[in-house]
């Protein structure tokens, strides 16, 4: 699950058949940035690292500050132990204080 504008691109591509069409044309990698980030560019060094690592997904993150309390942050999935992106819309009201704790959740997705 993801709130609109925050990762819904992937289920939209899957549901519309766009992903299947791109894969059929031989596409293996995709660079995504938000529309308000006009300066975003693909760094070939990072792409090379990603390809060699065989990771299924990579995102740019930065250290959270007090100005980033409401944005999504990286968290560990209790069930799988993997990393996930947790958005404020996914946070129950009773967890909001912990969600905004920049000492507990130290990194946020820059995209």
């Amino acid at each position: 699950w993801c709130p609109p504008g925050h990762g819904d691109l992937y289920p939209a591509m899957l549901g519309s058949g766009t992903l299947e069409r791109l894969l059929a044309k031989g596409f293996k990698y995709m660079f995504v940035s938000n529309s308000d980030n006009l300066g975003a560019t693909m760094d070939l060094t990072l792409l090379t690292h990603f390809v060699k690592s065989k990771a299924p997904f990579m995102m740019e993150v930065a250290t959270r500050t007090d100005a980033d309390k409401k944005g999504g942050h990286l968290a560990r999935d209790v069930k799988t132990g993997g990393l996930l992106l947790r958005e404020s819309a996914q946070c129950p009201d009773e967890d909001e204080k912990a969600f905004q704790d920049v000492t507990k959740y130290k990194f946020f997705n820059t995209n």
Side-chain angles (χ1 to χ4, degrees), residues 12-88:
M13 288 182 65
L14 181 64
S16 68
T18 301
L19 178 60
E20 186 177 331
R21 288 191 299 277
L22 290 171
L23 292 171
K25 289 182 178 183
F27 285 87
K28 290 184 177 183
Y29 306 102
M30 182 173 71
F31 173 75
V32 177
S33 71
N34 287 349
S35 61
D36 60 355
N37 188 353
L38 299 177
T41 58
M42 170 48 68
D43 181 320
L44 291 179
T45 302
L46 289 176
L47 176 58
T48 301
H49 169 75
F50 177 66
V51 171
K52 288 180 178 179
S53 74
K54 299 186 188 302
F57 182 83
M58 184 169 77
M59 79 171 91
E60 180 181 23
V61 298
T63 304
R64 289 176 84 202
T65 68
D66 284 338
D68 306 308
K69 286 183 175 184
K70 293 191 177 188
H73 61 249
L74 291 180
R76 185 126 346 242
D77 186 314
V78 176
K79 293 179 184 175
T80 68
L83 292 175
L84 54 81
L85 176 60
R86 184 174 179 222
E87 295 287 349
S88 59

